[in-house]
Amino acid sequence: MSQTARFVQQVSRPCGRPTGAEFVFVEEPLPVPRPGTALVENVLLSVDPYMRENMDGGWDLSTPLEGRSIGRVTDSRTPDLAEGDLVFHRQGWRTHAVVRPEDVRVLPQTPDVPPETYLGILGGTGLTAHVALTRVARLQPGETVYISAAAGGVGSAAGQLARLMGAGRVVGSAGSPAKVRSLTEELGFDAAFDHRDGRLSEQLAKAAPDGIDVCIDNVGGEHLEAAIGAMREYGRIAWCGAIAQYDATEPPAAPRNLFDLVEKSIRLEGFLVRNHRDAQDELERLLLPALASGAVTDRHTVTEGFDRIVDAFLGMLGGGNTGKATVRLVTA
């Protein structure tokens, strides 16, 4: 094992879209775990849209960054963690981490469930989609669901979960013809469209001619405006993210039809998945059989090597991923 640890630190705030110049790689001697802790060598790291907001102030400059991670225990000074355990933790953007037992989850090593699944559809990504559908939007069988950024991690999970929960029609928007084909040909969406092909409101009306009951919005701006316009009476919107405006230097003009929330008795609710971690068991009970049977697919775009984590992050922000964006450091 290497005797050095590498970290990524943010050293400046972006103005508009990040370029990568905001980050530096730092190398330090391998940390030694104290009594009651363990050293973990990270094998998989997650890059996620919420991290773009963290760049504006949520992350301190010139310190190691946080992020969802999976690592293997290599040196334990606690009886609660054994060498060889595969653990989920939140010390990302680094090759090694010193963890406490209370800050990690030891992952089951199931032959049919690869480790990256716990960063994807069984991790925070899938949990976000599950909470959006069940606790926020309260999807009912037979209803029509529209999902923006549907080919991303949360979107692709939400579409498949909506189908498992009995949605009558599942519609998604994505950013390329290839992603649109993936949604309808591989992930079970009834209809999908490329949001760059024309006016969003017109494309959504064509894909869901009878309107929509539920929207899982990951984009904001014009996508949210189009969803409000297509909503039936008593519709529900679970607002997960706003990737369209994370790089904006001025507030977006849209949505311009917010009063339709009143006229149609629509409920719009934002949420943070960290407030719903108690739903993890529900998610696994629903998904483990579906993953085993092949009814649900955990899609990933994997970038190989710690040196390319910044590239993976910027690529994800630019829509370069289909499914969950992850970085593989070593084989689990």
Side-chain angles (χ1 to χ4, degrees), residues 13-58:
R13 304 292 183 198
C15 181
R17 174 161 292 193
T19 65
E22 301 87 357
F23 299 102
V24 298
F25 287 81
V26 177
E27 189 171 292
E28 297 179 358
L30 197 67
V32 176
R34 303 176 305 279
T37 69
L39 177 66
V40 169
E41 181 180 17
N42 283 333
V43 297
L44 291 160
L45 303 176
S46 176
V47 288
D48 298 286
Y50 79 86
M51 294 173 172
R52 173 60 187 87
E53 286 193 290
N54 283 358
M55 291 185 71
D56 291 331

mmCIF file of all heavy atoms in Angstrom, residues 13-58:
data_model
loop_
_atom_site.group_PDB
_atom_site.id
_atom_site.type_symbol
_atom_site.label_atom_id
_atom_site.label_comp_id
_atom_site.label_asym_id
_atom_site.label_seq_id
_atom_site.Cartn_x
_atom_site.Cartn_y
_atom_site.Cartn_z
ATOM 1 N N ARG A 13 -13.107 30.429 -5.247
ATOM 2 C CA ARG A 13 -14.532 30.329 -5.562
ATOM 3 C C ARG A 13 -14.746 30.551 -7.051
ATOM 4 O O ARG A 13 -14.090 31.412 -7.660
ATOM 5 C CB ARG A 13 -15.344 31.366 -4.780
ATOM 6 C CG ARG A 13 -15.163 31.307 -3.271
ATOM 7 C CD ARG A 13 -15.750 30.062 -2.673
ATOM 8 N NE ARG A 13 -15.619 30.051 -1.194
ATOM 9 C CZ ARG A 13 -15.723 28.963 -0.463
ATOM 10 N NH1 ARG A 13 -15.956 27.789 -1.032
ATOM 11 N NH2 ARG A 13 -15.591 29.014 0.848
ATOM 12 N N PRO A 14 -15.666 29.804 -7.664
ATOM 13 C CA PRO A 14 -15.924 30.008 -9.088
ATOM 14 C C PRO A 14 -16.778 31.243 -9.328
ATOM 15 O O PRO A 14 -17.550 31.668 -8.460
ATOM 16 C CB PRO A 14 -16.672 28.745 -9.494
ATOM 17 C CG PRO A 14 -17.357 28.312 -8.238
ATOM 18 C CD PRO A 14 -16.453 28.695 -7.098
ATOM 19 N N CYS A 15 -16.660 31.797 -10.507
ATOM 20 C CA CYS A 15 -17.560 32.847 -10.987
ATOM 21 C C CYS A 15 -18.199 32.291 -12.249
ATOM 22 O O CYS A 15 -17.584 32.263 -13.308
ATOM 23 C CB CYS A 15 -16.806 34.137 -11.264
ATOM 24 S SG CYS A 15 -17.890 35.490 -11.826
ATOM 25 N N GLY A 16 -19.429 31.798 -12.117
ATOM 26 C CA GLY A 16 -20.025 31.077 -13.228
ATOM 27 C C GLY A 16 -19.597 29.625 -13.192
ATOM 28 O O GLY A 16 -19.381 29.049 -12.129
ATOM 29 N N ARG A 17 -19.453 29.021 -14.364
ATOM 30 C CA ARG A 17 -19.122 27.599 -14.438
ATOM 31 C C ARG A 17 -17.696 27.350 -13.975
ATOM 32 O O ARG A 17 -16.769 28.035 -14.420
ATOM 33 C CB ARG A 17 -19.302 27.097 -15.872
ATOM 34 C CG ARG A 17 -18.844 25.660 -16.084
ATOM 35 C CD ARG A 17 -19.427 25.037 -17.327
ATOM 36 N NE ARG A 17 -20.874 24.840 -17.172
ATOM 37 C CZ ARG A 17 -21.611 24.087 -17.998
ATOM 38 N NH1 ARG A 17 -21.047 23.473 -19.008
ATOM 39 N NH2 ARG A 17 -22.912 23.955 -17.795
ATOM 40 N N PRO A 18 -17.469 26.369 -13.105
ATOM 41 C CA PRO A 18 -16.101 26.041 -12.681
ATOM 42 C C PRO A 18 -15.258 25.574 -13.864
ATOM 43 O O PRO A 18 -15.766 24.960 -14.811
ATOM 44 C CB PRO A 18 -16.306 24.903 -11.668
ATOM 45 C CG PRO A 18 -17.730 24.999 -11.243
ATOM 46 C CD PRO A 18 -18.484 25.538 -12.412
ATOM 47 N N THR A 19 -13.964 25.834 -13.778
ATOM 48 C CA THR A 19 -13.037 25.444 -14.846
ATOM 49 C C THR A 19 -12.095 24.324 -14.428
ATOM 50 O O THR A 19 -11.439 23.719 -15.273
ATOM 51 C CB THR A 19 -12.192 26.652 -15.273
ATOM 52 O OG1 THR A 19 -11.352 27.043 -14.165
ATOM 53 C CG2 THR A 19 -13.068 27.815 -15.690
ATOM 54 N N GLY A 20 -12.009 24.060 -13.141
ATOM 55 C CA GLY A 20 -11.042 23.118 -12.608
ATOM 56 C C GLY A 20 -9.876 23.815 -11.934
ATOM 57 O O GLY A 20 -9.173 23.213 -11.122
ATOM 58 N N ALA A 21 -9.658 25.093 -12.283
ATOM 59 C CA ALA A 21 -8.575 25.854 -11.655
ATOM 60 C C ALA A 21 -8.860 26.122 -10.182
ATOM 61 O O ALA A 21 -7.958 26.539 -9.443
ATOM 62 C CB ALA A 21 -8.367 27.173 -12.395
ATOM 63 N N GLU A 22 -10.081 25.891 -9.745
ATOM 64 C CA GLU A 22 -10.453 26.113 -8.347
ATOM 65 C C GLU A 22 -9.922 25.022 -7.428
ATOM 66 O O GLU A 22 -10.029 25.138 -6.203
ATOM 67 C CB GLU A 22 -11.983 26.165 -8.218
ATOM 68 C CG GLU A 22 -12.659 27.247 -9.044
ATOM 69 C CD GLU A 22 -12.973 26.796 -10.461
ATOM 70 O OE1 GLU A 22 -12.618 25.636 -10.828
ATOM 71 O OE2 GLU A 22 -13.562 27.592 -11.207
ATOM 72 N N PHE A 23 -9.365 23.941 -7.987
ATOM 73 C CA PHE A 23 -8.942 22.790 -7.194
ATOM 74 C C PHE A 23 -7.438 22.563 -7.290
ATOM 75 O O PHE A 23 -6.824 22.851 -8.324
ATOM 76 C CB PHE A 23 -9.651 21.520 -7.686
ATOM 77 C CG PHE A 23 -11.149 21.564 -7.579
ATOM 78 C CD1 PHE A 23 -11.929 21.808 -8.699
ATOM 79 C CD2 PHE A 23 -11.785 21.350 -6.369
ATOM 80 C CE1 PHE A 23 -13.309 21.836 -8.617
ATOM 81 C CE2 PHE A 23 -13.166 21.370 -6.273
ATOM 82 C CZ PHE A 23 -13.935 21.619 -7.401
ATOM 83 N N VAL A 24 -6.870 22.013 -6.222
ATOM 84 C CA VAL A 24 -5.481 21.561 -6.246
ATOM 85 C C VAL A 24 -5.405 20.181 -5.600
ATOM 86 O O VAL A 24 -6.224 19.836 -4.741
ATOM 87 C CB VAL A 24 -4.523 22.529 -5.512
ATOM 88 C CG1 VAL A 24 -4.505 23.893 -6.180
ATOM 89 C CG2 VAL A 24 -4.882 22.641 -4.037
ATOM 90 N N PHE A 25 -4.410 19.400 -6.012
ATOM 91 C CA PHE A 25 -4.125 18.113 -5.400
ATOM 92 C C PHE A 25 -3.013 18.298 -4.375
ATOM 93 O O PHE A 25 -2.020 18.990 -4.642
ATOM 94 C CB PHE A 25 -3.695 17.093 -6.452
ATOM 95 C CG PHE A 25 -4.821 16.607 -7.321
ATOM 96 C CD1 PHE A 25 -5.268 17.362 -8.399
ATOM 97 C CD2 PHE A 25 -5.440 15.394 -7.061
ATOM 98 C CE1 PHE A 25 -6.294 16.914 -9.210
ATOM 99 C CE2 PHE A 25 -6.474 14.933 -7.859
ATOM 100 C CZ PHE A 25 -6.903 15.697 -8.939
ATOM 101 N N VAL A 26 -3.196 17.690 -3.211
ATOM 102 C CA VAL A 26 -2.247 17.807 -2.104
ATOM 103 C C VAL A 26 -1.831 16.398 -1.684
ATOM 104 O O VAL A 26 -2.669 15.483 -1.626
ATOM 105 C CB VAL A 26 -2.870 18.551 -0.909
ATOM 106 C CG1 VAL A 26 -1.903 18.612 0.260
ATOM 107 C CG2 VAL A 26 -3.292 19.967 -1.330
ATOM 108 N N GLU A 27 -0.564 16.211 -1.376
ATOM 109 C CA GLU A 27 -0.061 14.911 -0.926
ATOM 110 C C GLU A 27 0.513 15.039 0.469
ATOM 111 O O GLU A 27 1.221 16.001 0.780
ATOM 112 C CB GLU A 27 1.016 14.409 -1.890
ATOM 113 C CG GLU A 27 1.461 12.987 -1.639
ATOM 114 C CD GLU A 27 2.358 12.469 -2.754
ATOM 115 O OE1 GLU A 27 1.869 12.284 -3.883
ATOM 116 O OE2 GLU A 27 3.555 12.251 -2.468
ATOM 117 N N GLU A 28 0.187 14.073 1.339
ATOM 118 C CA GLU A 28 0.653 14.073 2.719
ATOM 119 C C GLU A 28 1.046 12.651 3.110
ATOM 120 O O GLU A 28 0.636 11.686 2.453
ATOM 121 C CB GLU A 28 -0.446 14.576 3.664
ATOM 122 C CG GLU A 28 -0.887 16.017 3.435
ATOM 123 C CD GLU A 28 -1.995 16.437 4.380
ATOM 124 O OE1 GLU A 28 -2.453 15.585 5.185
ATOM 125 O OE2 GLU A 28 -2.407 17.617 4.314
ATOM 126 N N PRO A 29 1.817 12.489 4.182
ATOM 127 C CA PRO A 29 2.106 11.135 4.665
ATOM 128 C C PRO A 29 0.812 10.404 5.022
ATOM 129 O O PRO A 29 -0.173 11.014 5.444
ATOM 130 C CB PRO A 29 2.978 11.366 5.903
ATOM 131 C CG PRO A 29 3.571 12.723 5.707
ATOM 132 C CD PRO A 29 2.524 13.530 4.977
ATOM 133 N N LEU A 30 0.814 9.116 4.859
ATOM 134 C CA LEU A 30 -0.352 8.317 5.178
ATOM 135 C C LEU A 30 -0.734 8.521 6.643
ATOM 136 O O LEU A 30 0.106 8.376 7.536
ATOM 137 C CB LEU A 30 -0.046 6.842 4.920
ATOM 138 C CG LEU A 30 -1.238 5.883 4.820
ATOM 139 C CD1 LEU A 30 -2.056 6.188 3.586
ATOM 140 C CD2 LEU A 30 -0.737 4.447 4.798
ATOM 141 N N PRO A 31 -1.991 8.879 6.940
ATOM 142 C CA PRO A 31 -2.363 9.108 8.348
ATOM 143 C C PRO A 31 -2.348 7.806 9.148
ATOM 144 O O PRO A 31 -2.584 6.724 8.614
ATOM 145 C CB PRO A 31 -3.781 9.684 8.253
ATOM 146 C CG PRO A 31 -4.301 9.232 6.929
ATOM 147 C CD PRO A 31 -3.112 9.141 6.019
ATOM 148 N N VAL A 32 -2.068 7.934 10.426
ATOM 149 C CA VAL A 32 -2.047 6.786 11.337
ATOM 150 C C VAL A 32 -3.303 6.854 12.203
ATOM 151 O O VAL A 32 -3.563 7.877 12.850
ATOM 152 C CB VAL A 32 -0.786 6.808 12.222
ATOM 153 C CG1 VAL A 32 -0.829 5.663 13.229
ATOM 154 C CG2 VAL A 32 0.466 6.733 11.356
ATOM 155 N N PRO A 33 -4.119 5.797 12.213
ATOM 156 C CA PRO A 33 -5.350 5.848 13.013
ATOM 157 C C PRO A 33 -5.065 5.869 14.506
ATOM 158 O O PRO A 33 -4.149 5.210 14.993
ATOM 159 C CB PRO A 33 -6.082 4.565 12.614
ATOM 160 C CG PRO A 33 -5.013 3.642 12.144
ATOM 161 C CD PRO A 33 -3.965 4.517 11.503
ATOM 162 N N ARG A 34 -5.848 6.660 15.229
ATOM 163 C CA ARG A 34 -5.770 6.716 16.682
ATOM 164 C C ARG A 34 -6.618 5.593 17.271
ATOM 165 O O ARG A 34 -7.453 5.012 16.579
ATOM 166 C CB ARG A 34 -6.286 8.073 17.176
ATOM 167 C CG ARG A 34 -5.557 9.273 16.590
ATOM 168 C CD ARG A 34 -6.196 10.581 17.050
ATOM 169 N NE ARG A 34 -7.623 10.639 16.745
ATOM 170 C CZ ARG A 34 -8.123 10.952 15.556
ATOM 171 N NH1 ARG A 34 -7.303 11.228 14.539
ATOM 172 N NH2 ARG A 34 -9.436 10.998 15.354
ATOM 173 N N PRO A 35 -6.448 5.293 18.539
ATOM 174 C CA PRO A 35 -7.331 4.313 19.187
ATOM 175 C C PRO A 35 -8.797 4.705 19.003
ATOM 176 O O PRO A 35 -9.170 5.868 19.165
ATOM 177 C CB PRO A 35 -6.912 4.367 20.658
ATOM 178 C CG PRO A 35 -5.470 4.789 20.607
ATOM 179 C CD PRO A 35 -5.381 5.755 19.467
ATOM 180 N N GLY A 36 -9.615 3.734 18.641
ATOM 181 C CA GLY A 36 -11.033 3.995 18.408
ATOM 182 C C GLY A 36 -11.360 4.390 16.982
ATOM 183 O O GLY A 36 -12.520 4.687 16.676
ATOM 184 N N THR A 37 -10.358 4.413 16.096
ATOM 185 C CA THR A 37 -10.580 4.779 14.705
ATOM 186 C C THR A 37 -9.969 3.721 13.791
ATOM 187 O O THR A 37 -9.344 2.758 14.250
ATOM 188 C CB THR A 37 -9.960 6.153 14.375
ATOM 189 O OG1 THR A 37 -8.527 6.053 14.413
ATOM 190 C CG2 THR A 37 -10.421 7.221 15.363
ATOM 191 N N ALA A 38 -10.140 3.920 12.484
ATOM 192 C CA ALA A 38 -9.573 2.993 11.506
ATOM 193 C C ALA A 38 -9.158 3.773 10.268
ATOM 194 O O ALA A 38 -9.749 4.810 9.932
ATOM 195 C CB ALA A 38 -10.576 1.911 11.129
ATOM 196 N N LEU A 39 -8.157 3.269 9.576
ATOM 197 C CA LEU A 39 -7.717 3.847 8.309
ATOM 198 C C LEU A 39 -8.436 3.134 7.174
ATOM 199 O O LEU A 39 -8.492 1.900 7.126
ATOM 200 C CB LEU A 39 -6.200 3.695 8.148
ATOM 201 C CG LEU A 39 -5.617 4.207 6.821
ATOM 202 C CD1 LEU A 39 -5.774 5.719 6.705
ATOM 203 C CD2 LEU A 39 -4.141 3.803 6.708
ATOM 204 N N VAL A 40 -8.981 3.914 6.269
ATOM 205 C CA VAL A 40 -9.721 3.392 5.121
ATOM 206 C C VAL A 40 -9.022 3.825 3.844
ATOM 207 O O VAL A 40 -8.646 5.002 3.698
ATOM 208 C CB VAL A 40 -11.170 3.925 5.133
ATOM 209 C CG1 VAL A 40 -11.871 3.623 3.816
ATOM 210 C CG2 VAL A 40 -11.945 3.318 6.292
ATOM 211 N N GLU A 41 -8.829 2.892 2.933
ATOM 212 C CA GLU A 41 -8.372 3.227 1.584
ATOM 213 C C GLU A 41 -9.597 3.305 0.684
ATOM 214 O O GLU A 41 -10.335 2.325 0.519
ATOM 215 C CB GLU A 41 -7.411 2.167 1.045
ATOM 216 C CG GLU A 41 -6.892 2.512 -0.349
ATOM 217 C CD GLU A 41 -5.926 1.474 -0.903
ATOM 218 O OE1 GLU A 41 -5.909 0.336 -0.368
ATOM 219 O OE2 GLU A 41 -5.212 1.787 -1.858
ATOM 220 N N ASN A 42 -9.852 4.485 0.128
ATOM 221 C CA ASN A 42 -11.051 4.666 -0.687
ATOM 222 C C ASN A 42 -10.928 3.924 -2.011
ATOM 223 O O ASN A 42 -9.863 3.914 -2.643
ATOM 224 C CB ASN A 42 -11.290 6.153 -0.942
ATOM 225 C CG ASN A 42 -11.873 6.854 0.262
ATOM 226 O OD1 ASN A 42 -12.544 6.221 1.089
ATOM 227 N ND2 ASN A 42 -11.633 8.146 0.386
ATOM 228 N N VAL A 43 -12.034 3.309 -2.412
ATOM 229 C CA VAL A 43 -12.063 2.586 -3.678
ATOM 230 C C VAL A 43 -13.021 3.227 -4.677
ATOM 231 O O VAL A 43 -12.824 3.122 -5.891
ATOM 232 C CB VAL A 43 -12.414 1.099 -3.471
ATOM 233 C CG1 VAL A 43 -11.349 0.413 -2.628
ATOM 234 C CG2 VAL A 43 -13.784 0.918 -2.833
ATOM 235 N N LEU A 44 -14.056 3.906 -4.183
ATOM 236 C CA LEU A 44 -15.039 4.551 -5.047
ATOM 237 C C LEU A 44 -15.427 5.896 -4.442
ATOM 238 O O LEU A 44 -15.667 5.993 -3.235
ATOM 239 C CB LEU A 44 -16.294 3.686 -5.186
ATOM 240 C CG LEU A 44 -16.157 2.382 -5.972
ATOM 241 C CD1 LEU A 44 -17.283 1.435 -5.615
ATOM 242 C CD2 LEU A 44 -16.148 2.659 -7.476
ATOM 243 N N LEU A 45 -15.510 6.911 -5.281
ATOM 244 C CA LEU A 45 -15.901 8.247 -4.847
ATOM 245 C C LEU A 45 -17.069 8.728 -5.694
ATOM 246 O O LEU A 45 -17.167 8.408 -6.880
ATOM 247 C CB LEU A 45 -14.735 9.230 -4.980
ATOM 248 C CG LEU A 45 -13.450 8.878 -4.223
ATOM 249 C CD1 LEU A 45 -12.361 9.898 -4.541
ATOM 250 C CD2 LEU A 45 -13.691 8.820 -2.722
ATOM 251 N N SER A 46 -17.928 9.506 -5.088
ATOM 252 C CA SER A 46 -19.099 10.044 -5.772
ATOM 253 C C SER A 46 -18.879 11.518 -6.099
ATOM 254 O O SER A 46 -18.352 12.277 -5.275
ATOM 255 C CB SER A 46 -20.329 9.906 -4.870
ATOM 256 O OG SER A 46 -21.459 10.491 -5.462
ATOM 257 N N VAL A 47 -19.273 11.922 -7.304
ATOM 258 C CA VAL A 47 -19.355 13.346 -7.626
ATOM 259 C C VAL A 47 -20.811 13.655 -7.945
ATOM 260 O O VAL A 47 -21.453 12.936 -8.710
ATOM 261 C CB VAL A 47 -18.416 13.743 -8.791
ATOM 262 C CG1 VAL A 47 -16.969 13.711 -8.332
ATOM 263 C CG2 VAL A 47 -18.593 12.853 -10.014
ATOM 264 N N ASP A 48 -21.341 14.724 -7.334
ATOM 265 C CA ASP A 48 -22.774 14.980 -7.355
ATOM 266 C C ASP A 48 -23.059 16.454 -7.630
ATOM 267 O O ASP A 48 -22.251 17.335 -7.290
ATOM 268 C CB ASP A 48 -23.384 14.607 -6.011
ATOM 269 C CG ASP A 48 -23.220 13.131 -5.695
ATOM 270 O OD1 ASP A 48 -23.935 12.333 -6.304
ATOM 271 O OD2 ASP A 48 -22.357 12.790 -4.862
ATOM 272 N N PRO A 49 -24.244 16.751 -8.198
ATOM 273 C CA PRO A 49 -24.584 18.145 -8.497
ATOM 274 C C PRO A 49 -24.559 19.067 -7.286
ATOM 275 O O PRO A 49 -24.191 20.241 -7.406
ATOM 276 C CB PRO A 49 -25.993 18.038 -9.091
ATOM 277 C CG PRO A 49 -26.038 16.678 -9.703
ATOM 278 C CD PRO A 49 -25.233 15.817 -8.765
ATOM 279 N N TYR A 50 -24.957 18.577 -6.091
ATOM 280 C CA TYR A 50 -25.005 19.457 -4.920
ATOM 281 C C TYR A 50 -23.637 20.044 -4.590
ATOM 282 O O TYR A 50 -23.533 21.098 -3.948
ATOM 283 C CB TYR A 50 -25.560 18.714 -3.702
ATOM 284 C CG TYR A 50 -24.568 17.810 -2.994
ATOM 285 C CD1 TYR A 50 -23.721 18.321 -2.018
ATOM 286 C CD2 TYR A 50 -24.476 16.458 -3.296
ATOM 287 C CE1 TYR A 50 -22.801 17.500 -1.374
ATOM 288 C CE2 TYR A 50 -23.566 15.640 -2.660
ATOM 289 C CZ TYR A 50 -22.731 16.161 -1.703
ATOM 290 O OH TYR A 50 -21.810 15.361 -1.071
ATOM 291 N N MET A 51 -22.576 19.369 -5.026
ATOM 292 C CA MET A 51 -21.230 19.849 -4.739
ATOM 293 C C MET A 51 -20.941 21.193 -5.413
ATOM 294 O O MET A 51 -20.098 21.958 -4.929
ATOM 295 C CB MET A 51 -20.201 18.809 -5.173
ATOM 296 C CG MET A 51 -20.265 17.525 -4.366
ATOM 297 S SD MET A 51 -19.188 16.244 -5.037
ATOM 298 C CE MET A 51 -19.301 15.000 -3.746
ATOM 299 N N ARG A 52 -21.637 21.462 -6.521
ATOM 300 C CA ARG A 52 -21.446 22.770 -7.175
ATOM 301 C C ARG A 52 -21.885 23.900 -6.252
ATOM 302 O O ARG A 52 -21.208 24.942 -6.169
ATOM 303 C CB ARG A 52 -22.231 22.806 -8.495
ATOM 304 C CG ARG A 52 -22.247 24.174 -9.175
ATOM 305 C CD ARG A 52 -20.845 24.651 -9.519
ATOM 306 N NE ARG A 52 -20.838 26.015 -10.008
ATOM 307 C CZ ARG A 52 -20.773 27.092 -9.250
ATOM 308 N NH1 ARG A 52 -20.719 26.976 -7.908
ATOM 309 N NH2 ARG A 52 -20.750 28.294 -9.779
ATOM 310 N N GLU A 53 -22.979 23.711 -5.538
ATOM 311 C CA GLU A 53 -23.403 24.726 -4.565
ATOM 312 C C GLU A 53 -22.394 24.848 -3.438
ATOM 313 O O GLU A 53 -22.125 25.952 -2.948
ATOM 314 C CB GLU A 53 -24.775 24.378 -4.015
ATOM 315 C CG GLU A 53 -25.920 24.614 -4.981
ATOM 316 C CD GLU A 53 -27.254 24.549 -4.268
ATOM 317 O OE1 GLU A 53 -27.641 23.443 -3.860
ATOM 318 O OE2 GLU A 53 -27.900 25.612 -4.116
ATOM 319 N N ASN A 54 -21.836 23.716 -3.007
ATOM 320 C CA ASN A 54 -20.836 23.763 -1.939
ATOM 321 C C ASN A 54 -19.634 24.600 -2.330
ATOM 322 O O ASN A 54 -18.971 25.201 -1.471
ATOM 323 C CB ASN A 54 -20.375 22.347 -1.586
ATOM 324 C CG ASN A 54 -21.378 21.597 -0.732
ATOM 325 O OD1 ASN A 54 -22.415 22.133 -0.361
ATOM 326 N ND2 ASN A 54 -21.079 20.352 -0.425
ATOM 327 N N MET A 55 -19.330 24.642 -3.608
ATOM 328 C CA MET A 55 -18.178 25.425 -4.061
ATOM 329 C C MET A 55 -18.350 26.913 -3.789
ATOM 330 O O MET A 55 -17.366 27.648 -3.667
ATOM 331 C CB MET A 55 -17.933 25.208 -5.554
ATOM 332 C CG MET A 55 -17.443 23.824 -5.928
ATOM 333 S SD MET A 55 -17.036 23.718 -7.689
ATOM 334 C CE MET A 55 -15.516 24.721 -7.726
ATOM 335 N N ASP A 56 -19.596 27.369 -3.682
ATOM 336 C CA ASP A 56 -19.859 28.791 -3.473
ATOM 337 C C ASP A 56 -19.759 29.210 -2.009
ATOM 338 O O ASP A 56 -19.928 30.387 -1.701
ATOM 339 C CB ASP A 56 -21.245 29.153 -4.009
ATOM 340 C CG ASP A 56 -21.311 29.088 -5.520
ATOM 341 O OD1 ASP A 56 -20.274 29.310 -6.171
ATOM 342 O OD2 ASP A 56 -22.401 28.802 -6.058
ATOM 343 N N GLY A 57 -19.500 28.270 -1.117
ATOM 344 C CA GLY A 57 -19.362 28.639 0.288
ATOM 345 C C GLY A 57 -19.580 27.506 1.256
ATOM 346 O O GLY A 57 -19.235 27.623 2.438
ATOM 347 N N GLY A 58 -20.171 26.419 0.785
ATOM 348 C CA GLY A 58 -20.402 25.291 1.673
ATOM 349 C C GLY A 58 -19.133 24.554 2.052
ATOM 350 O O GLY A 58 -19.071 23.908 3.100
#
